[in-house]
Amino acid sequence: MDEVEVVVAHSERATLRVGDVFLKVDADQARIDVEVEAMSLAPVPTPKVLWRKPPVLAITALPGTTLGRLGGPSTGSSAAWAAAGAAIRKLHDGPLPSWPGRAGRSISALAAELDDECERLVTSGLLPADLVTRNRRVAEAAFRPWPLAFTHGDLQIAHVFVDGDDEVTGVIDWSEAGRGDALYDLATFTLGHEEHLDDVLTGYGADIDLDVIHAWWSLRSLLAVRWLTEHGFDPFAPGCEVDVLRSRM
């Protein structure tokens, strides 16, 4: 019998792997609905849906490997990172979904959420005030009008699988997908791996405002630190969110 591997688990959801099948357990049926719909529309390879029985979604495993993880060493050649960039561009150029995703929250909603989170980080003593203040200023560059794109919304490098130097075999975890800012995806994918940003942009093939990428790095990290701490993760580990914030100082 195949062993059961816990891929990720916290109070909101869990993902298990049994052989070549992933079982995603999520009490929020809306997230599962978005994931299935987004995978059916995405113009890039995605896992095959085997069956659904709320709150469980069963999907196939993907061939290949990821390019690393946040806080860990990056792997793969420059060509592999560029191939990922080309796949991300193909996604962003795809037909727009009918719903907004996590990368498509309004500027006013983002600014309000960020201000509230920054105040909590400082008041609680979780992060020093100067670190929060500096990154809050950097994050302001993200607050501008953007053209809508088909965005993944949680495009961590652990969610993109590649085989060799030039083939993206699939993208997983689509529950935050929808219309949004393409640069949010690019920033999420390169978070903590700034050394590969040029490779990704070479494959992406478009002029990108780097100040906005930096802004999304700061914004995403500020919004994540407290949640990660409260859910058993360590944003203070080397190369993770707090180090990303320190790199903007």
Side-chain angles (χ1 to χ4, degrees), residues 46-71:
T46 63
K48 179 182 178 182
V49 175
L50 298 175
W51 51 265
R52 299 173 65 187
K53 187 174 182 180
V56 182
L57 170 68
I59 59 176
T60 57
L62 291 171
T65 59
T66 67
L67 292 173
R69 60 179 177 81
L70 183 62

Side-chain angles (χ1 to χ4, degrees), residues 30-46:
R31 279 197 294 250
I32 294 292
D33 291 342
V34 166
E35 178 148 14
V36 172
E37 181 69 11
M39 287 193 294
S40 73
L41 297 174
V44 295
T46 63

Side-chain angles (χ1 to χ4, degrees), residues 93-126:
D93 287 345
L96 289 176
S98 60
W99 66 92
R102 182 153 185 84
R105 289 166 291 170
S106 71
I107 293 173
S108 60
L110 272 171
E113 182 181 0
L114 183 60
D115 287 341
D116 180 63
E117 193 61 34
C118 287
E119 182 178 356
R120 292 187 182 195
L121 289 169
V122 174
T123 302
S124 67
L126 193 58

Side-chain angles (χ1 to χ4, degrees), residues 44 83-93 155 185-186 189 200 204:
V44 295
I88 295 169
R89 178 64 183 272
K90 186 175 182 180
L91 170 66
H92 291 163
D93 287 345
L155 199 64
D185 274 354
L186 290 169
F189 188 69
V200 172
Y204 193 77

